[in-house]
Amino acid sequence: MEFSGISFLFYFLPAFLILYFMSPVKHRNLMLLIGSLVFYAWGEPLFFTILLLSAIFNYLAGKRILNCESKKKKKIILTVSVLINLLVLVLLKGLDHLISDKAFILKTLVPIGISIYTLHAISFLVEAYRGQICKTPDFINFAAYICMFPSIMAGPVIKYTQIERQLTTRRSSIEGFSMGIIRFVVGLSKKVLLAENLFILWNSISSINPLELSLMSSWLGIISFAMGVYYFISGYSDMALGLLKMLGFELPDNFNYPILSTSVLDFVKRWNISLTTWFYDYIYTLICKENKKGILFYIAMLLCCISAGLWYGTGLNFIAFGLYFAILIILEKSFTIKALNKIPKVFKMIYSSFFVLTGWVFFANDSIYKAVMYFKAMFGFGGGFISGTFLYDISSNIVLLALSVLSLFPFWTTYARKCMSKTMSYVIVPVSVALILSISYIVA
Amino acid sequence: MFIAFILFNILRPLEDFSTLENRYLKKISKPTVSEVLNGEFFGDIEEYTNDRFFARNFLLKFKSKLEYALGKKENNGVIICNDGSLIEKQKAYNEELVYKNCEDIISFTEKGGFNVCVSAIPPAFEVRKESLPKNAYNDNAQKINSSIEACFSGKNIKNVNPTKLLRKHSEDYIYFKTDPHLTSNGGYVMYHALADALGYTTLSGEDFKISDISREFLGENYSKTLKKTTPDILVDYRPLETPRFKVEFPISGEESDSMYFPSHLIERNKYSYFLDGNHPLAIIKSPNKNGKTIAIIKDSYANTVVPFIANHFETIHMIELEMFDGNTVQYLKVNNIEDVLILCDLQAFIYENSFEILKNK
């Protein structure tokens, strides 16, 4: 089931919300768990058991860690349980990548959401080990956290300690519910109206032989792709945060206007913040305890970035994607940052955008060879500087591109804040229009 | 009110066919165990809820109108031209696929020992390129044709590229404006293009009675764009000396005494007027007892061409590229057919396994 599907929007979500709010507050986590399991089983009936087993296994492991007196035993249980989680994730993703002819009943070996709920589980185990968890959760609350449908599709990655207290003390309000709806619709619009149309433009441009692709078309293509990915992931994040807000949960934003980044490191800190924080808290700090340079820093950075690349997808191109960012961040920390601090902000933003866009080429192309060929086009070794196709694509998509670029900046948030201080109708009307447009696009 | 809306959506009577989109809407049938376990059944339900959404037609039209108002020049791969024509955008050239498909034809020809003529019908995008919006044109169709020519060069295969001849007549309403297929006028031009290769002398325009059959045809490209435009005209070319053709459909067991099927004129998909649309196998028998037999391995693009060619053959076996699931080579051998015309859309050469049925399995 998709958040942007008719069956979710008009059948599952209304039914779930009615049942959720009709149930007593003390049973709402159970309702959230049941709803999440129904949601998951709808899309992944075969892998539903893996999700349940993960919840049970990690609950038992976490409980053991919390109740264990011996630090050595805690460490052993933590290490074994984290390794098992990672093994399952890596095995399934790796096998799916290697085996093209799956068993007749399976289209993929990778259960939806495994990258998210595995990170949730590891977060719980590590925080239990570090003594950051106040008390042993009951199974229903824990399973609701692992399985929660708002975040299981594409994040945000929620650390257990972020949500621990809210699992038992959250309260819903009409205002919170309304804000949740608005956020959800904003996310839906980003995904349906912007991301999907940007990907159509990218697909059209990327289908051209790179040797015949003009420089301008190639840059238009990669910009469309980068914006498409941003609106896709941030759209899903907004939908997830909106749904969680409706249920009474408060969680931080997952994106902080990456277009405003002034370095590649700054970009990484603004992009999919929950994921970056997870890698920092559980991988980087494990290897490189303090923020220092040297061999441990390089290893930590390489491991984090390559793991993050592989989190997005399997394949050499994703490894290259991670490696590219690792190298740039290492260079920035070691050399470039001093020079960057001396130049005006606008040039820092141009520098950051240039290198980030170049990095997206690895993500966008499914092989290193294709990425290299695309780079050739981007730097003038393809089909000339400008082509008729570029002019046609620009003129046909001018409104989409203008809206997409404008929405990269805090323009809409600033507008919404100003309006909400006057009257909500200035926000409700455009949000309603966005909802109707989104439904039109979904149905079409 | 929202709950009332959902209940209405669930309980209202449902149509099976969308006249706006010219397709059957999704139905839910009893799933198999594997369909449930691999999630396919739930995917079908998604499609079903989408297809049956209340006010779907209104939302489809609304979306289309909004996009055009915002300056979009194409929708679902169809370009809206300045003269109101709806022309399918030419897809990307894929050299590997063109060569693979040509190899299948070459292998079929050489192993079967057939006399093969190939003619790929170019798209309106190539033939009517002057109608396209500024900068919309790409030369991928030319590249596909060049590759086909290179592949068949030196092989015992006649390759007829009708592009030049069609371009000469590009202003003669040879393509529908709301559909990617050739009109009967276009079919007549193709008939001329194939004359030398197939060894017949063409009938002139004066040998036909040309009549308008319908002025209300809105084709596939209209369904994809929902762009309001003047409907197309279906035209019929009937030889003045009207022979009675018999058409047999061996698989369904049906027969007809005409290559034209007026029952489709009251339907949305009027293009099926020609040869009753697509059948896996159909045999046309003409009273012209010249002993000439040919197999035409085709797709729907050939449907306005075949009625002209039929005037010169005693028997035509039509085998549909995407539907015939028998052994084509065996079928041709059993029926003692040596002459084969492969007549299809040029795009077939850039799709995977377009000529799968030519393999002797």
Side-chain angles (χ1 to χ4, degrees):
Chain A
M1 213 186 296
E2 277 257 358
F3 288 165
S4 56
I6 295 294
S7 54
F8 177 82
L9 291 170
F10 288 91
Y11 297 102
F12 174 84
L13 186 60
F16 168 76
L17 288 173
I18 289 168
L19 291 170
Y20 180 84
F21 286 109
M22 272 174 57
S23 35
V25 172
K26 61 181 179 181
H27 292 315
R28 284 187 180 171
N29 284 341
L30 175 62
M31 196 48 56
L32 175 58
L33 173 63
I34 293 170
S36 299
L37 292 175
V38 168
F39 176 87
Y40 196 85
W42 185 272
E44 297 276 290
L46 208 58
F47 292 126
F48 169 80
T49 41
I50 297 183
L51 173 64
L52 261 182
L53 285 172
S54 174
I56 296 166
F57 170 77
N58 287 295
Y59 177 73
L60 293 172
K63 205 173 168 188
R64 279 290 275 161
I65 293 172
L66 283 165
N67 295 334
C68 194
E69 301 268 333
S70 153
K71 188 143 184 168
K72 192 179 173 188
K73 259 192 183 166
K74 278 184 196 258
K75 203 168 194 174
I76 294 170
I77 300 169
L78 172 71
T79 309
V80 169
S81 51
V82 167
L83 282 175
I84 290 173
N85 274 291
L86 288 175
L87 193 66
V88 170
L89 176 65
V90 167
L91 211 64
L92 288 175
K93 276 196 159 187
L95 281 174
D96 186 70
H97 182 70
L98 292 169
I99 302 172
S100 52
D101 262 324
K102 315 285 191 294
F104 78 99
I105 210 168
L106 296 172
K107 289 181 183 168
T108 173
L109 290 170
V110 184
I112 285 178
I114 193 170
S115 300
I116 300 289
Y117 66 73
T118 301
L119 298 194
H120 283 181
I122 293 174
S123 139
F124 171 72
L125 295 168
V126 172
E127 287 173 342
Y129 172 77
R130 287 178 179 172
Q132 290 168 311
I133 293 175
C134 300
K135 63 173 189 169
T136 312
D138 77 35
F139 177 71
I140 299 292
N141 291 356
F142 176 77
Y145 158 67
I146 290 289
C147 305
M148 56 169 53
F149 74 86
S151 64
I152 205 164
M153 294 287 285
V157 179
I158 307 169
K159 292 198 288 185
Y160 183 76
T161 45
Q162 279 179 305
I163 208 167
E164 184 186 11
R165 199 170 279 183
Q166 295 184 70
L167 282 167
T168 47
T169 61
R170 73 185 181 281
R171 288 290 177 267
S172 309
S173 65
I174 292 177
E175 195 197 342
F177 189 84
S178 310
M179 295 307 293
I181 291 176
I182 291 172
R183 185 123 201 210
F184 179 84
V185 172
V186 166
L188 182 70
S189 310
K190 276 183 179 178
K191 193 227 168 207
V192 171
L193 300 179
L194 297 179
E196 289 179 5
N197 286 297
L198 286 164
F199 284 139
I200 290 173
L201 178 55
W202 158 250
N203 285 338
S204 171
I205 292 171
S206 63
S207 68
I208 299 170
N209 185 336
L211 293 171
E212 295 166 9
L213 191 61
S214 69
L215 183 145
M216 292 298 286
S217 279
S218 63
W219 279 97
L220 176 63
I222 201 63
I223 288 169
S224 303
F225 179 83
M227 290 200 292
V229 173
Y230 168 65
Y231 287 119
F232 187 88
I233 303 180
S234 68
Y236 259 108
S237 289
D238 283 336
M239 285 193 273
L241 292 169
L243 287 167
L244 288 165
K245 182 105 179 157
M246 285 188 228
L247 305 181
F249 292 97
E250 287 284 350
L251 286 158
D253 288 344
N254 202 24
F255 287 82
N256 183 19
Y257 302 101
I259 189 69
L260 300 176
S261 54
T262 51
S263 66
V264 174
L265 181 60
D266 189 25
F267 169 82
V268 166
K269 288 178 183 175
R270 290 170 178 268
W271 177 275
N272 207 345
I273 298 166
S274 62
L275 184 72
T276 312
T277 310
W278 192 97
F279 279 106
Y280 179 83
D281 285 349
Y282 303 120
I283 297 181
Y284 183 90
T285 51
L286 196 70
I287 299 165
C288 185
K289 291 202 182 343
E290 290 160 27
N291 192 16
K292 59 182 177 194
K293 296 170 198 172
I295 190 80
L296 285 178
F297 164 71
Y298 300 142
I299 294 169
M301 196 50 63
L302 281 164
L303 199 57
C304 279
C305 290
I306 292 173
S307 304
L310 287 170
W311 186 86
Y312 284 108
T314 48
L316 284 174
N317 60 308
F318 289 102
I319 295 175
F321 176 70
L323 189 61
Y324 173 87
F325 277 92
I327 292 170
L328 279 174
I329 293 170
I330 289 169
L331 285 172
E332 273 184 6
K333 275 267 187 176
S334 306
F335 311 106
T336 336
I337 207 81
K338 285 178 192 154
L340 281 174
N341 286 341
K342 293 176 187 168
I343 62 174
K345 188 174 178 182
V346 65
F347 292 114
K348 286 192 242 187
M349 284 170 63
I350 292 169
Y351 152 85
S352 168
S353 298
F354 174 81
F355 280 102
V356 166
L357 281 172
T358 317
W360 280 117
V361 174
F362 291 108
F363 194 109
N365 289 279
D366 58 16
S367 73
I368 303 288
Y369 172 75
K370 283 182 185 173
V372 168
M373 295 304 290
Y374 199 86
F375 277 127
K376 279 184 163 179
M378 282 172 73
F379 293 100
F381 297 101
F385 179 72
I386 197 166
S387 61
T389 310
F390 168 76
L391 295 170
Y392 174 75
D393 285 337
I394 285 279
S395 64
S396 295
N397 294 283
I398 191 77
V399 174
L400 169 67
L401 290 167
L403 201 58
S404 300
V405 170
L406 186 66
S407 303
L408 291 172
F409 296 89
F411 170 78
W412 297 113
T413 321
T414 313
Y415 165 81
R417 282 203 188 111
K418 278 190 180 153
C419 291
M420 280 195 281
S421 61
K422 290 178 188 166
T423 165
M424 280 297 282
S425 61
Y426 285 156
V427 173
I428 290 170
V429 168
V431 166
S432 305
V433 167
L435 178 62
I436 294 169
L437 282 176
S438 299
I439 294 169
S440 308
Y441 272 75
I442 292 166
V443 164
Chain B
M1 193 170 137
F2 187 69
I3 297 168
F5 169 80
I6 293 172
L7 284 171
F8 172 74
N9 215 26
I10 297 169
L11 299 170
R12 66 191 178 96
L14 303 171
E15 317 100 13
D16 282 337
F17 184 81
S18 166
T19 47
L20 187 69
E21 297 170 84
N22 190 28
R23 66 174 180 90
Y24 284 97
L25 297 173
K26 188 77 184 172
K27 268 186 182 169
I28 296 290
S29 52
K30 200 175 167 190
T32 60
V33 171
S34 72
E35 281 172 356
V36 171
L37 291 178
N38 69 18
E40 204 176 303
F41 172 65
F42 300 104
D44 288 348
I45 294 182
E46 286 286 343
E47 226 181 297
Y48 176 86
T49 54
N50 225 358
D51 276 0
R52 308 296 173 147
F53 190 74
F54 169 71
R56 178 185 166 80
N57 286 350
F58 167 78
L59 290 171
L60 287 173
K61 287 180 190 170
F62 171 69
K63 182 209 169 216
S64 293
K65 282 185 177 150
L66 178 70
E67 287 188 328
Y68 304 136
L70 294 175
K72 217 171 167 197
K73 293 187 182 111
E74 62 180 78
N75 203 340
N76 287 327
V78 175
I79 296 173
I80 294 101
C81 300
N82 301 328
D83 65 356
S85 304
L86 307 172
I87 292 182
E88 232 173 27
K89 193 173 179 179
Q90 173 58 50
K91 294 178 181 63
Y93 168 61
N94 186 321
E95 192 180 47
E96 201 186 314
L97 281 174
V98 175
Y99 278 103
K100 253 192 193 168
N101 282 314
C102 289
E103 265 310 310
D104 287 343
I105 295 173
I106 293 167
S107 179
F108 163 77
T109 307
E110 289 175 351
K111 288 180 184 167
F114 302 109
N115 303 321
V116 172
C117 172
V118 177
S119 188
I121 301 171
F125 184 92
E126 177 63 30
V127 174
R128 297 189 59 227
K129 54 183 145 187
E130 290 78 16
S131 303
L132 297 171
K134 200 176 172 190
N135 297 312
Y137 176 73
N138 65 60
D139 62 354
N140 290 333
Q142 287 186 26
K143 286 179 186 148
I144 297 169
N145 264 323
S146 300
S147 294
I148 293 171
E149 233 170 84
C151 284
F152 293 149
S153 165
K155 306 288 178 192
N156 195 18
I157 294 174
K158 289 177 197 164
N159 178 34
V160 176
N161 182 353
T163 308
K164 246 188 195 156
L165 190 61
L166 287 165
R167 276 197 49 75
K168 246 185 176 173
H169 295 274
S170 63
E171 297 303 310
D172 295 342
Y173 193 47
I174 55 172
Y175 286 90
F176 290 111
K177 292 193 173 186
T178 67
D179 193 84
H181 296 109
L182 290 167
T183 61
S184 294
N185 293 352
Y188 183 65
V189 174
M190 277 299 301
Y191 163 64
H192 277 267
L194 291 166
D196 286 343
L198 298 186
Y200 54 75
T201 307
T202 53
L203 300 169
S204 78
E206 286 140 12
D207 295 320
F208 294 96
K209 182 185 171 202
I210 304 170
S211 358
D212 288 359
I213 300 300
S214 168
R215 292 181 161 261
E216 290 166 6
F217 176 42
L218 288 169
E220 269 174 44
N221 291 345
Y222 168 78
S223 298
K224 286 180 183 176
T225 58
L226 300 180
K227 175 72 178 161
K228 212 172 178 182
T229 189
T230 317
D232 273 303
I233 304 168
L234 277 181
V235 164
D236 191 293
Y237 278 62
R238 300 276 183 143
L240 288 171
E241 292 177 20
T242 317
R244 292 202 66 81
F245 293 92
K246 195 174 170 196
V247 185
E248 293 169 3
F249 302 105
I251 291 169
S252 61
E254 289 165 358
E255 283 182 5
S256 168
D257 61 359
S258 170
M259 291 182 291
Y260 302 102
F261 293 77
S263 61
H264 292 294
L265 294 176
I266 55 169
E267 293 168 2
R268 178 75 163 70
N269 187 14
K270 295 175 179 30
Y271 186 72
S272 297
Y273 171 75
F274 305 101
L275 302 177
D276 195 32
N278 300 336
H279 287 261
L281 179 65
I283 302 171
I284 302 175
K285 291 180 176 166
S286 93
N288 189 352
K289 302 292 176 201
N290 61 9
K292 282 182 166 186
T293 300
I294 191 168
I296 301 181
I297 299 174
K298 61 179 267 304
D299 61 17
S300 59
Y301 282 71
N303 288 11
T304 47
V305 185
V306 170
F308 292 101
I309 297 173
N311 290 291
H312 304 281
F313 290 88
E314 185 172 333
T315 318
I316 294 181
H317 295 251
M318 293 190 299
I319 299 170
E320 198 66 27
L321 270 171
E322 283 180 11
M323 292 173 79
F324 186 68
D325 61 4
N327 186 318
T328 309
V329 173
Q330 216 174 47
Y331 177 85
L332 296 175
K333 296 279 186 201
V334 159
N335 289 282
N336 298 314
I337 301 169
E338 289 174 357
D339 297 329
V340 177
L341 167 66
I342 297 174
L343 182 62
C344 61
D345 177 19
L346 183 71
Q347 313 303 328
F349 285 83
I350 51 168
Y351 294 142
E352 289 261 13
N353 302 319
S354 293
F355 302 98
E356 185 78 6
I357 64 162
L358 300 182
K359 292 175 184 169
N360 191 11
K361 289 182 193 169

